[in-house]
Coordinates of all heavy atoms in Angstrom, one line a residue:
A208 N -23.9 41.6 -8.3 CA -24.8 40.5 -8.6 C -25.4 39.9 -7.3 O -26.6 39.5 -7.3 CB -24.0 39.4 -9.4
R209 N -24.6 39.8 -6.2 CA -25.1 39.2 -5.0 C -26.3 40.0 -4.5 O -27.3 39.4 -4.0 CB -24.0 39.2 -3.9 CG -24.4 38.8 -2.5 CD -23.3 38.6 -1.5 NE -22.4 39.7 -1.5 CZ -22.6 40.9 -0.9 NH1 -23.8 41.1 -0.3 NH2 -21.7 41.8 -0.9
K211 N -28.6 41.2 -6.0 CA -29.8 40.9 -6.8 C -30.1 39.4 -6.8 O -31.0 39.0 -7.5 CB -29.5 41.3 -8.3 CG -29.3 42.8 -8.5 CD -29.1 43.0 -10.0 CE -28.2 44.2 -10.3 NZ -27.7 44.1 -11.7
A212 N -29.5 38.7 -5.9 CA -29.8 37.2 -5.8 C -31.3 37.0 -5.4 O -31.9 37.8 -4.7 CB -28.9 36.6 -4.7
Y213 N -31.8 35.9 -5.9 CA -33.1 35.5 -5.5 C -33.0 34.3 -4.5 O -32.8 33.1 -5.0 CB -33.9 35.1 -6.8 CG -35.3 34.6 -6.4 CD1 -36.3 35.4 -5.9 CD2 -35.7 33.3 -6.6 CE1 -37.6 35.0 -5.6 CE2 -37.0 32.8 -6.3 CZ -37.9 33.7 -5.8 OH -39.1 33.2 -5.4
A214 N -33.0 34.6 -3.2 CA -32.7 33.6 -2.2 C -33.7 33.7 -1.1 O -33.3 33.9 0.1 CB -31.3 33.6 -1.7
P215 N -35.1 33.6 -1.4 CA -36.1 33.9 -0.3 C -36.1 32.7 0.7 O -36.7 32.9 1.8 CB -37.4 34.0 -1.1 CG -37.1 33.2 -2.3 CD -35.7 33.4 -2.7
Y216 N -35.5 31.6 0.4 CA -35.6 30.4 1.3 C -34.4 30.3 2.2 O -34.5 30.1 3.4 CB -35.8 29.1 0.5 CG -37.0 29.3 -0.4 CD1 -36.9 29.5 -1.8 CD2 -38.3 29.3 0.1 CE1 -38.0 29.7 -2.6 CE2 -39.4 29.5 -0.7 CZ -39.3 29.7 -2.1 OH -40.4 29.9 -2.8
S217 N -33.2 30.4 1.7 CA -32.0 30.3 2.5 C -31.6 31.7 3.1 O -30.8 31.7 4.1 CB -30.8 29.8 1.6 OG -30.4 30.7 0.7
H218 N -32.0 32.7 2.5 CA -31.5 34.1 2.9 C -30.0 34.2 2.7 O -29.4 35.0 3.5 CB -32.0 34.5 4.3 CG -33.5 34.3 4.4 ND1 -34.4 35.2 3.8 CD2 -34.2 33.4 5.1 CE1 -35.6 34.8 4.1 NE2 -35.6 33.7 4.8
F219 N -29.4 33.3 1.9 CA -28.0 33.3 1.7 C -27.7 33.8 0.3 O -28.0 33.0 -0.7 CB -27.5 31.9 2.0 CG -26.0 31.8 2.0 CD1 -25.3 32.3 3.2 CD2 -25.2 31.3 1.0 CE1 -23.9 32.2 3.2 CE2 -23.9 31.2 1.0 CZ -23.2 31.6 2.2
N220 N -27.2 35.0 0.1 CA -27.1 35.5 -1.2 C -25.6 35.3 -1.7 O -24.7 35.6 -1.0 CB -27.3 37.0 -1.2 CG -28.8 37.3 -0.8 OD1 -29.7 36.5 -0.9 ND2 -29.1 38.6 -0.4
V221 N -25.6 34.9 -2.9 CA -24.2 34.6 -3.5 C -24.2 35.3 -4.9 O -25.2 35.3 -5.7 CB -24.0 33.1 -3.8 CG1 -22.6 32.8 -4.3 CG2 -24.3 32.3 -2.5
G222 N -23.0 36.0 -5.1 CA -22.8 36.7 -6.4 C -21.6 36.1 -7.1 O -20.6 35.8 -6.4
G235 N -23.6 36.4 -12.3 CA -24.7 35.4 -12.0 C -24.9 35.5 -10.5 O -24.1 36.0 -9.7
N236 N -26.1 35.0 -10.1 CA -26.4 35.0 -8.6 C -27.3 33.8 -8.4 O -27.8 33.2 -9.3 CB -27.0 36.3 -8.1 CG -28.2 36.7 -9.0 OD1 -28.9 35.9 -9.6 ND2 -28.4 38.0 -9.1
N237 N -27.4 33.4 -7.1 CA -28.2 32.2 -6.9 C -29.7 32.4 -7.1 O -30.2 33.5 -6.8 CB -28.0 31.5 -5.5 CG -28.0 32.5 -4.3 OD1 -27.7 33.7 -4.5 ND2 -28.3 32.0 -3.2
Q238 N -30.3 31.5 -7.7 CA -31.7 31.5 -8.1 C -32.4 30.3 -7.4 O -32.2 29.2 -7.8 CB -31.9 31.4 -9.6 CG -31.3 32.6 -10.4 CD -32.0 33.9 -10.1 OE1 -33.2 34.0 -10.1 NE2 -31.3 35.0 -9.8
E239 N -33.2 30.6 -6.4 CA -33.8 29.5 -5.6 C -35.2 29.2 -6.1 O -35.7 29.9 -7.0 CB -33.8 29.9 -4.1 CG -32.4 30.0 -3.6 CD -32.3 30.2 -2.1 OE1 -33.3 30.5 -1.4 OE2 -31.2 30.0 -1.6
N240 N -35.8 28.1 -5.6 CA -37.1 27.7 -6.1 C -37.8 27.0 -5.0 O -37.2 26.4 -4.1 CB -36.9 26.7 -7.2 CG -38.1 26.4 -8.0 OD1 -39.0 25.6 -7.5 ND2 -38.3 27.0 -9.1
A241 N -39.2 27.1 -5.0 CA -40.0 26.5 -3.9 C -39.7 25.0 -3.9 O -39.8 24.4 -2.8 CB -41.5 26.8 -4.2
A242 N -39.5 24.4 -5.0 CA -39.0 23.0 -5.1 C -37.5 23.0 -5.0 O -36.8 23.2 -6.0 CB -39.5 22.3 -6.4
F243 N -37.0 23.0 -3.8 CA -35.6 23.3 -3.5 C -34.5 22.9 -4.6 O -33.7 23.7 -5.0 CB -35.1 22.9 -2.1 CG -35.8 23.7 -1.0 CD1 -36.7 24.7 -1.3 CD2 -35.4 23.4 0.3 CE1 -37.2 25.4 -0.2 CE2 -36.0 24.2 1.3 CZ -36.9 25.2 1.1
P244 N -34.5 21.6 -5.0 CA -33.4 21.2 -5.9 C -33.5 21.9 -7.3 O -32.5 21.8 -8.1 CB -33.6 19.7 -6.0 CG -34.6 19.3 -5.0 CD -35.4 20.5 -4.7
S245 N -34.6 22.5 -7.6 CA -34.7 23.2 -8.9 C -34.0 24.5 -9.0 O -33.9 25.1 -10.1 CB -36.2 23.4 -9.2 OG -36.9 22.2 -9.1
G246 N -33.5 25.0 -7.9 CA -32.7 26.2 -7.9 C -31.3 26.0 -8.4 O -30.9 24.9 -8.7
L247 N -30.5 27.1 -8.5 CA -29.2 26.9 -9.0 C -28.2 27.9 -8.4 O -28.6 29.1 -8.1 CB -29.1 27.1 -10.6 CG -27.8 26.6 -11.3 CD1 -27.7 25.1 -11.1 CD2 -27.9 26.9 -12.8
C248 N -27.0 27.5 -8.1 CA -26.0 28.4 -7.5 C -25.5 29.5 -8.4 O -25.6 29.4 -9.7 CB -24.7 27.5 -7.2 SG -24.9 26.3 -5.9
A249 N -25.0 30.5 -7.8 CA -24.6 31.7 -8.6 C -23.5 31.4 -9.6 O -23.5 31.9 -10.7 CB -24.0 32.7 -7.5
E250 N -22.5 30.5 -9.2 CA -21.4 30.2 -10.0 C -21.8 29.5 -11.3 O -21.3 29.8 -12.4 CB -20.4 29.3 -9.3 CG -19.8 29.9 -8.0 CD -20.6 29.7 -6.8 OE1 -21.8 29.6 -6.8 OE2 -20.0 29.7 -5.7
R251 N -22.8 28.6 -11.1 CA -23.3 27.9 -12.3 C -24.2 28.8 -13.2 O -24.1 28.7 -14.4 CB -23.9 26.6 -12.0 CG -22.9 25.4 -11.8 CD -23.6 24.2 -11.3 NE -24.0 24.3 -10.0 CZ -24.8 23.4 -9.3 NH1 -25.3 22.4 -10.0 NH2 -25.1 23.6 -8.1
V252 N -24.9 29.7 -12.6 CA -25.7 30.6 -13.4 C -24.8 31.4 -14.3 O -25.0 31.5 -15.5 CB -26.6 31.5 -12.5 CG1 -27.2 32.7 -13.3 CG2 -27.7 30.7 -11.8
A273 N -20.3 35.9 -0.9 CA -21.5 35.3 -0.4 C -21.7 35.8 1.1 O -20.8 36.1 1.8 CB -21.4 33.8 -0.4
G274 N -23.0 35.9 1.4 CA -23.4 36.3 2.8 C -24.8 36.1 3.1 O -25.6 36.2 2.1
S275 N -25.2 36.0 4.3 CA -26.5 35.8 4.7 C -27.1 37.2 4.9 O -26.4 38.2 5.2 CB -26.6 35.1 6.1 OG -27.8 35.3 6.7
T276 N -28.4 37.3 4.7 CA -29.1 38.6 4.9 C -29.2 39.0 6.3 O -29.6 40.1 6.7 CB -30.5 38.6 4.2 OG1 -31.2 37.5 4.7 CG2 -30.4 38.6 2.7
K277 N -28.9 38.0 7.2 CA -29.2 38.2 8.7 C -28.0 38.8 9.4 O -28.1 39.3 10.5 CB -29.5 36.8 9.3 CG -30.9 36.4 8.8 CD -31.2 35.0 9.2 CE -32.5 34.5 8.5 NZ -32.6 33.0 8.5

Side-chain angles (χ1 to χ4, degrees):
R209 174 172 49 75
K211 297 183 211 161
Y213 177 66
Y216 305 104
S217 72
H218 307 287
F219 190 75
N220 294 343
V221 186
N236 49 31
N237 48 333
Q238 296 293 316
E239 297 187 346
N240 192 282
F243 287 4
S245 305
L247 197 62
C248 292
E250 297 88 330
R251 275 177 287 165
V252 169
S275 165
T276 52
K277 293 168 188 159

